[in-house]
Amino acid sequence: MDQDYIRIFDTTLRDGEQTPGVSLTPEEKMEIALQLDKLGVDVIEAGFPSASKGEQKAVKEIARAGLKAHVCALARALRSDIDLALQSDVKYIHTFISTSEVQMKYALNMTPEQVIEAVIDSVQYIKDHGVICEFSPMDATRTDIGFLKKVCRAAEEAGADYINIPDTVGVMSPKSMANLIRELKATLKVPLSVHCHNDFGLAVANSLAAVEAGATQVHVTVNGLGERAGNASLEEVVMCLHLLYNKRTGVNTKLIYETSRLVSRLTGVPIQPNKAIVGENAFAHESGIHTKGVVVKPITFEPFNPEIVGRQRKLVAGKHAGRHGIRATLEEAGIYPTEEQLKEIVERVKEIGDKGKTVTDADLLAIARVVIGRTREEEIVRLNDLVVTTGLKFTPTASVKLIIDGKEYAAAETGVGPVDAAIKAIQKIISNLADVRLTEYRLEALTGGSDAVAEVIIKVEDKDGNIVSARGAREDIVMASVEAMISGINKILSKRLKATQ
Ligand code: KIV
Ligand code: ZN
């Protein structure tokens, strides 16, 4: 057997679905199963058919989908559970029973002898149906080692194809896990697998220690979903195996990020920003030394190229941002500002940074688009001042001062909100120059949080049918809207001026 190939047994659709608050429809389960298959996992544990009718349906549909991966169903070591798994048309059954004293006594109410009998009967029953059988002694890591060996040997003799060692409540350390696997390996011939929970944040480390000690299969979930603190995360285990442990898996690592996003979207469980491999910040570099370093040579501050997991490097600008980093980010996006434009972009970024905020790539590009776009158009109308008042007891009001041809014009208006009031005030001032109507308004918060940089994209039309789109990007929605409106007006006026020349 190839000891360097580690089988990836994915239990996102079973243990992952046991994440508190997560419940997937059969359609959602199918979408995830198809993605896992594309990703290249070896086994997909599709569900626990005895849990519900919906679960049976989902497992059956996945089992019939013609996937490359083995489709597996979970069953207690009970014939009735195994029958339901068999009726789901799977060719792989994962059967389990508690073996620790505490669980046998309080969760099962069975004696050790009864447990051994149930193991033998279930494994033989599964094998009699010509199906692959994986057996798990649940709570193995808190089970008396003598009894654990006895149970595992019984399962092996009954015909189990794999024995999986669950660290059900996540109490192992890498060292104790390696010792346990070594000890079991010395008494068993079947391939060993591990299933680690993350109660102490050691699920990945314990899984890797088990592999070092001879386990050839690891149970994982996408984004580390699972009961309580979750299971070992697929993305971390796979990347560690490939890049730190010199092992191989069937996983196409380039699809890791899109798989993680899909699972996060369908389960509704967000990914923490500093999560390894798939977190928002995993390949984000702050400005300064790091930014400059990775721009020149990525390996300076990166463990591996983000493209390996289907991601891209992100340079985050802030008050420490240098022209160098900002220019590099913009050039990577195909934006080449002049020195003058770059100066204004850097100033805007620092202004936002001074308020304690970082500026993401998306924010930066929005700011650059506005600065560069604005300097390309003629500045016929310029904002000189803006005051808005709003509140529970006030009608939103805006007073605007614009400079047109060197002269200041002022107007005040009310509206349904401060943005509406400000736009109306602008329209009032320029009504003599151009009758400009707002036909489309889109607001995008580029980074999360109430202090996000807001990008406003609008379309405006004058009475002659000239239509232009324009944008504004500021931390303040009203300011971003005003900036976009004035930019739109300037574009329309420039167009009209050119038409008369
Ligand atoms: O954590 C666990 O013990 C399990 C079993 C069903 C294998 O999920
Ligand atoms: Zn589990």
Side-chain angles (χ1 to χ4, degrees):
M1 209 165 119
D2 179 359
Q3 286 291 320
D4 287 335
Y5 184 86
I6 305 300
R7 274 167 49 111
I8 298 299
F9 180 114
D10 183 277
T11 181
T12 307
L13 296 176
R14 199 279 296 169
D15 218 326
E17 208 199 357
Q18 286 170 225
T19 304
V22 171
S23 179
L24 297 163
T25 63
E27 294 72 33
E28 289 167 336
K29 286 193 126 190
M30 178 61 89
E31 199 175 337
I32 293 176
L34 293 173
Q35 179 68 23
L36 289 170
D37 196 45
K38 203 165 97 182
L39 182 68
V41 303
D42 301 273
V43 187
I44 296 171
E45 188 165 52
F48 191 12
S50 69
S52 72
K53 286 236 169 352
E55 188 75 347
Q56 269 171 53
K57 179 172 177 273
V59 175
K60 196 175 204 157
E61 278 169 8
I62 295 169
R64 289 178 169 182
L67 305 185
K68 288 190 294 304
H70 292 287
V71 176
C72 166
L74 182 72
R76 284 170 295 181
L78 274 179
R79 286 192 177 209
S80 54
D81 261 35
I82 296 167
D83 284 337
L84 286 172
L86 290 167
Q87 284 157 26
S88 305
D89 290 346
V90 294
K91 299 285 171 284
Y92 194 129
I93 294 178
H94 173 203
T95 187
F96 71 99
I97 191 164
S98 299
T99 53
S100 64
E101 211 180 308
V102 66
Q103 288 197 3
M104 286 192 291
K105 191 163 169 194
Y106 297 103
L108 279 184
N109 202 14
M110 280 169 83
T111 64
E113 293 70 33
Q114 287 170 322
V115 165
I116 298 228
E117 261 174 48
V119 171
I120 297 170
D121 185 64
S122 311
V123 173
Q124 279 175 351
Y125 190 61
I126 292 170
K127 290 313 294 175
D128 286 349
H129 285 85
V131 165
I132 299 172
C133 174
E134 179 160 333
F135 167 68
S136 284
M138 185 151 85
D139 208 11
T141 54
R142 292 191 304 176
T143 298
D144 169 79
I145 184 71
F147 184 61
L148 182 63
K149 284 182 187 170
K150 207 165 152 187
V151 173
C152 290
R153 269 199 303 264
E156 181 176 80
E157 279 159 23
D161 300 285
Y162 297 91
I163 290 184
N164 174 56
I165 303 302
D167 184 17
T168 303
V169 290
V171 290
M172 293 302 261
S173 69
K175 201 168 175 179
S176 58
M177 184 54 111
N179 288 340
L180 178 63
I181 295 296
R182 234 175 261 124
E183 198 160 345
L184 291 172
K185 235 184 113 59
T187 46
L188 299 166
K189 288 183 208 65
V190 285
L192 290 182
S193 167
V194 275
H195 175 108
C196 298
H197 277 274
N198 205 29
D199 299 73
F200 285 88
L202 289 173
V204 171
N206 290 340
S207 304
L208 296 167
V211 167
E212 276 193 299
T216 51
Q217 177 179 276
V218 184
H219 281 208
V220 292
T221 56
V222 176
N223 299 337
L225 293 177
E227 281 275 2
R228 306 182 310 282
N231 289 63
S233 94
L234 179 148
E235 54 281 3
E236 294 174 25
V237 167
V238 167
M239 291 318 293
C240 288
L241 287 174
H242 286 204
L243 299 180
L244 305 179
Y245 286 73
N246 214 11
K247 300 281 184 194
R248 289 178 296 107
T249 72
V251 170
N252 175 357
T253 59
K254 284 203 157 61
L255 302 181
I256 282 183
Y257 188 56
E258 65 174 54
T259 308
S260 159
R261 304 297 308 172
L262 175 81
V263 169
S264 173
R265 180 167 61 77
L266 293 181
T267 57
V269 180
I271 304 162
Q272 72 188 61
N274 57 333
K275 164 95 176 61
I277 319 290
V278 293
E280 204 41 41
N281 295 345
F283 298 98
H285 302 273
E286 265 214 29
S287 47
I289 299 170
H290 284 223
T291 308
K292 199 167 175 183
V294 291
V295 166
V296 177
K297 193 141 183 83
I299 195 112
T300 47
F301 292 100
E302 257 170 19
F304 60 87
N305 187 333
E307 283 166 21
I308 295 179
V309 288
R311 302 202 59 180
Q312 284 192 340
R313 179 171 309 122
K314 197 168 93 181
L315 302 181
V316 180
K319 66 180 170 190
H320 306 297
R323 291 166 76 86
H324 193 86
I326 289 183
R327 187 191 285 283
T329 312
L330 294 176
E331 287 185 356
E332 235 172 69
I335 297 174
Y336 298 88
T338 62
E339 279 305 315
E340 196 58 25
Q341 289 164 342
L342 183 65
K343 192 164 162 252
E344 182 174 347
I345 295 166
V346 173
E347 267 164 22
R348 281 212 197 185
V349 166
K350 284 181 188 284
E351 225 172 78
I352 297 171
D354 275 338
K355 291 177 193 156
K357 252 204 95 212
T358 51
V359 180
T360 65
D361 277 7
D363 296 336
L364 183 60
L365 296 187
I367 292 168
R369 278 195 295 267
V370 171
V371 170
I372 294 170
R374 212 200 41 227
T375 46
R376 273 203 203 117
E377 81 216 9
E378 273 187 71
E379 199 175 45
I380 301 164
V381 176
R382 185 162 56 84
L383 179 70
N384 205 27
D385 201 6
L386 167 74
V387 179
V388 285
T389 49
T390 186
L392 255 185
K393 296 196 177 119
F394 296 101
T395 306
T397 309
S399 49
V400 175
K401 285 183 185 159
L402 300 179
I403 304 281
I404 307 170
D405 254 352
K407 270 174 80 180
E408 188 183 84
Y409 297 84
E413 270 292 347
T414 57
V416 291
V419 170
D420 187 42
I423 301 283
K424 280 185 179 151
I426 294 169
Q427 284 170 317
K428 193 173 183 182
I429 297 175
I430 58 114
S431 60
N432 288 338
L433 270 178
D435 203 358
V436 176
R437 200 166 59 86
L438 188 64
T439 58
E440 228 178 275
Y441 178 93
R442 208 171 79 231
L443 169 70
E444 273 170 27
L446 296 167
T447 49
S450 56
D451 57 352
V453 170
E455 186 174 24
V456 169
I457 301 142
I458 59 163
K459 269 202 184 132
V460 287
E461 185 177 3
D462 69 3
K463 62 176 180 347
D464 300 329
N466 290 310
I467 300 174
V468 296
S469 61
R471 48 181 85 229
R474 297 277 177 171
E475 287 164 282
D476 180 314
I477 294 170
V478 183
M479 268 306 294
S481 308
V482 165
E483 184 169 52
M485 190 64 186
I486 290 175
S487 167
I489 290 168
N490 278 323
K491 281 185 177 173
I492 289 234
L493 292 177
S494 309
K495 222 174 175 178
R496 288 184 7 179
L497 217 65
K498 274 188 201 120
T500 56
Q501 278 163 3

